[in-house]
Amino acid sequence: MLQQYTKEFRYNLKLAAPVMMGMIGHTLVALVDNIMVGQLGTAELAAVSLGNSFMFIAMSLGIGFSTAITPLVAEADGENNFKNGKSAYKHGLFLCTTLGVVLFLFIFLAKPLLYLMKQPVEVVELAIPYLDLVAFSLIPLISFQALKQFSDGLSMTRYPMYATLIANVVNIVLNYLLIFGKFGFPQMGIVGAAVGTLASRFVMVIFLWILLRGKEKSKAYVTSIKIFVLELTMIKKIIALGFPSALQMFFEVAIFTAAIWLSGILGKNPQAANQIALNLSSMTFMVAMGLSVAAMVRVGNQKGLQKFVDLRRIAISIFLLGFLIAAVFALIFIVCNQMLPKIYLDVDDLKNMADNTEVISIAAKLLIIAALFQISDAVQVTVLGALRGLQDVKIPTLITFIAYWIVGFPISYYLGLYTDYKSEGIWIGLLAGLTTSAFLLYFRFNKLTKTMIIKN
C-alpha cells in the first residue's frame, strides 16, 4: 500500500530538487543580506526586516500571480499543444512584467506608511533608502518569475536554479564590497545590500532567458514573440487563475509580515529576533515550495492526460514526501535552536552584547514553535500546489483567508500584545493559521479528486 506512494519519491525529488535549490537561492539573497547587515548592529538588521516586510507583500502578489503560468504550460505540454503553451508563456510574461511595475510604484508611494506604524524611529530612517532600491528590483524579479514558471511547466526545472545560483554569487560579491566598503568601493551599509539585490535580480532574468533561448525544447517558445499582440481570452484565463493564486500567497505572506510589524511594536530586539527565526524557517519552507511546484506540474500533466487515479496517487506521494522532509527540519530546529541564531550576530561584540544576547534568546524560543509549524506549512503548500495543478483556485483562496486571518492573526495579535507570551504568542498564532490551512486544503483536495475519479 505504502509502496505505491514511495515509488514516486525519486521522480518527485528529481523534478523538485532544482526548484528547491532555486527557491532556496532566492532566500539565500535575504540570508546573505541579514548575516552581513547583522554585523552592523541590531538596528540595521531590524531596518532590513522592516523594509523587506513591504517587499514580502509585493513579492507574494507577483510570485503568486505568476504560478498561473505553470499549470497552463504543463497541461499544454501533456496534450502536446505548442500553440497554447506559447500563448500562456507570452501573455504570462506580459502580465507579470506589468504587475512588477505596478508593485514597484505601490511600494515607492507607500513609504510614508513606515512612520505611521509605531516602529522605532532609528529603524524607519535606516529602512527608507534601503527600500527605494529593493522596491525597483521587483520589476526584474517578477519578470524572472514568469520565465521560471514557464520553464517549470515544461519540466525544465534546472535552468531557473542555475540563474538563481549565478545571481547569488553576484549578490554576495556586491554585498561584501558595498556594505563594508572593501577594495576601494564606498561603504554604503544597508544601502549596499540593496544595490547587490537589485543587480543580482537583473542578472537572474537575463541569464535565464539566454539559457531558455539556447535549449531545443524551449527555444521556439521564447523567441519570435510579438509581446504586444495579445488575446483577451488568454489574458482572462491567466488572470482568473493568477489573481486567486496571488491572494492565496498574499494571505499567508501577509500574516508573516504582520508578525514583523507586531514584533516591531515590542521593540527592535524582538523584531530582529523575529527576522532571524523567519529567515531560517523561510529557508526550509523553500524545500516544500519546490515540492509544491512538482505537484503543480505533475498534477497538470495528469489532468491533461485525463488520468485521475494516477493524479491522486502522485499528489499524495508528494504530500507524504513533504511531511517526512519537514519532520527532519523540525528536529534540526529543536536540537539547534540555541546555535542557529548566533550565525546572524557578532557574539564577540562587547558594545552590543546585551542586545545580541536578548535577540538570540528570543529567536531560540521562536525556533521551537517554527519547528512545529514546519510540518503544517509543508502539507498546506504541497496540497495548494496540487490544487493549482487542477486549476482549482477560488475555494482554496477562501480557505487560506479563513485560516490565516480569521484563525491565525487574532491569536497572534492578542497573545503577542496583551499577554506575557509576547514574541512567542505572535508565532503561536502563525502555527494555528498554518495548521488550519493544512487540514482544510487537504479536505478540499480529497473531495475533488475522489469526485473526478467517480465521474471518469
Side-chain angles (χ1 to χ4, degrees), residues 50-69:
L50 182 59
N52 283 338
S53 70
F54 274 69
M55 286 294 293
F56 290 152
I57 290 176
M59 285 167 63
S60 72
L61 292 169
I63 293 172
F65 184 86
S66 73
T67 60
I69 300 168

Side-chain angles (χ1 to χ4, degrees), residues 21-163:
M21 293 300 294
M23 298 299 287
I24 288 170
H26 278 312
T27 316
L28 275 173
V29 172
L31 176 67
V32 169
D33 286 355
N34 286 330
I35 290 173
M36 290 188 174
V37 167
Q39 309 309 305
L40 302 175
T42 57
E44 284 81 358
L45 185 59
V48 169
S49 173
L50 182 59
N52 283 338
S53 70
F54 274 69
M55 286 294 293
F56 290 152
I57 290 176
M59 285 167 63
S60 72
L61 292 169
I63 293 172
F65 184 86
S66 73
T67 60
I69 300 168
T70 301
L72 293 173
V73 172
E75 186 178 6
D77 191 36
E79 296 170 339
N80 202 24
N81 189 327
F82 171 78
K83 183 182 176 184
N84 282 359
K86 183 162 185 171
S87 180
Y89 163 71
K90 180 181 82 168
H91 289 81
L93 179 62
F94 173 81
L95 289 169
C96 283
T97 304
T98 303
L99 182 59
V101 174
V102 170
L103 290 172
F104 156 63
L105 293 173
F106 173 77
I107 295 292
F108 190 78
L109 295 173
K111 285 185 300 177
L113 291 175
L114 290 171
Y115 288 105
L116 305 175
M117 291 166 54
K118 299 181 181 178
Q119 303 296 304
V121 175
E122 61 176 322
V123 172
V124 172
E125 289 176 352
L126 285 167
I128 284 181
Y130 171 82
L131 192 55
D132 284 340
L133 288 170
V134 175
F136 188 66
S137 76
L138 282 166
I139 299 171
L141 175 64
I142 298 173
S143 298
F144 170 82
Q145 279 300 127
L147 287 164
K148 177 198 174 300
Q149 298 294 346
F150 157 73
S151 185
D152 290 345
L154 288 181
S155 300
M156 299 172 66
T157 54
R158 286 182 297 157
Y159 304 112
M161 176 188 73
Y162 297 151

Side-chain angles (χ1 to χ4, degrees), residues 126-430:
L126 285 167
I128 284 181
Y130 171 82
L131 192 55
D132 284 340
L133 288 170
V134 175
F136 188 66
S137 76
L138 282 166
I139 299 171
L141 175 64
I142 298 173
S143 298
F144 170 82
Q145 279 300 127
L147 287 164
K148 177 198 174 300
Q149 298 294 346
F150 157 73
S151 185
D152 290 345
L154 288 181
S155 300
M156 299 172 66
T157 54
R158 286 182 297 157
Y159 304 112
M161 176 188 73
Y162 297 151
T164 306
L165 291 174
I166 292 291
N168 269 291
V169 172
V170 172
N171 184 60
I172 290 168
V173 171
L174 288 178
N175 273 5
Y176 181 72
L177 295 175
L178 297 175
I179 292 175
F180 305 113
K182 301 293 184 180
F183 299 106
F185 283 83
Q187 186 175 349
M188 300 172 71
I190 67 171
V191 174
V195 172
T197 299
L198 176 62
S200 69
R201 285 176 176 166
F202 271 108
V203 168
M204 192 163 62
V205 68
I206 293 166
F207 187 77
L208 179 55
W209 184 81
I210 291 169
L211 279 179
L212 292 175
R213 189 187 63 175
K215 299 299 170 185
E216 192 64 35
K217 187 173 182 179
S218 54
K219 183 178 181 180
Y221 287 94
V222 301
T223 54
S224 304
I225 289 176
K226 297 175 181 175
I227 194 72
F228 294 110
V229 179
L230 303 169
E231 298 168 18
L232 190 59
T233 306
M234 183 55 80
I235 286 177
K236 285 181 176 178
K237 193 169 187 178
I238 291 173
I239 290 173
L241 283 174
F243 181 66
S245 296
L247 286 180
Q248 291 163 14
M249 194 167 284
F250 168 75
F251 291 145
E252 180 176 358
V253 169
I255 193 173
F256 280 91
T257 303
I260 293 173
W261 294 342
L262 291 173
S263 298
I265 293 171
L266 298 177
K268 71 171 185 177
N269 288 345
Q271 190 176 53
N274 181 86
Q275 177 66 4
I276 289 171
L278 182 59
N279 192 232
L280 285 167
S281 56
S282 296
M283 293 286 286
T284 56
F285 176 69
M286 293 308 157
V287 173
M289 278 289 284
L291 289 171
S292 179
V293 171
M296 225 190 313
V297 172
R298 297 201 69 190
V299 168
N301 287 157
Q302 296 303 315
K303 182 174 181 287
L305 294 167
Q306 300 285 295
K307 293 184 176 180
F308 298 118
V309 173
D310 286 342
L311 182 156
R312 179 179 166 83
R313 178 179 55 80
I314 287 166
I316 291 174
S317 77
I318 294 173
F319 306 158
L320 179 59
L321 182 58
F323 176 88
L324 293 172
I325 292 172
V328 173
F329 285 135
L331 186 62
I332 292 169
F333 275 21
I334 290 168
V335 172
C336 303
N337 73 311
Q338 294 287 339
M339 183 173 64
L340 289 170
K342 294 178 182 177
I343 298 170
Y344 291 78
L345 298 165
D346 183 359
V347 292
D348 298 321
D349 182 359
L350 296 176
K351 181 181 176 184
N352 296 305
M353 183 171 285
D355 282 342
N356 289 349
T357 302
E358 184 185 1
V359 169
I360 290 167
S361 173
I362 297 169
K365 293 173 185 173
L366 297 183
L367 285 178
I368 299 296
I369 302 168
L372 298 176
F373 74 50
Q374 293 295 306
I375 295 168
S376 299
D377 212 2
V379 171
Q380 68 86 24
V381 78
T382 49
V383 178
L384 204 50
L387 289 169
R388 285 174 183 154
L390 290 172
Q391 297 178 30
D392 176 57
V393 290
K394 291 181 181 177
I395 299 297
T397 301
L398 179 62
I399 287 171
T400 53
F401 174 76
I402 291 169
Y404 301 131
W405 290 95
I406 304 299
V407 177
F409 179 72
I411 294 172
S412 287
Y413 186 83
Y414 176 73
L415 292 181
L417 299 186
Y418 294 101
T419 73
D420 292 336
Y421 285 108
K422 298 189 183 299
S423 293
E424 292 167 81
I426 294 170
W427 278 55
I428 289 169
L430 299 179

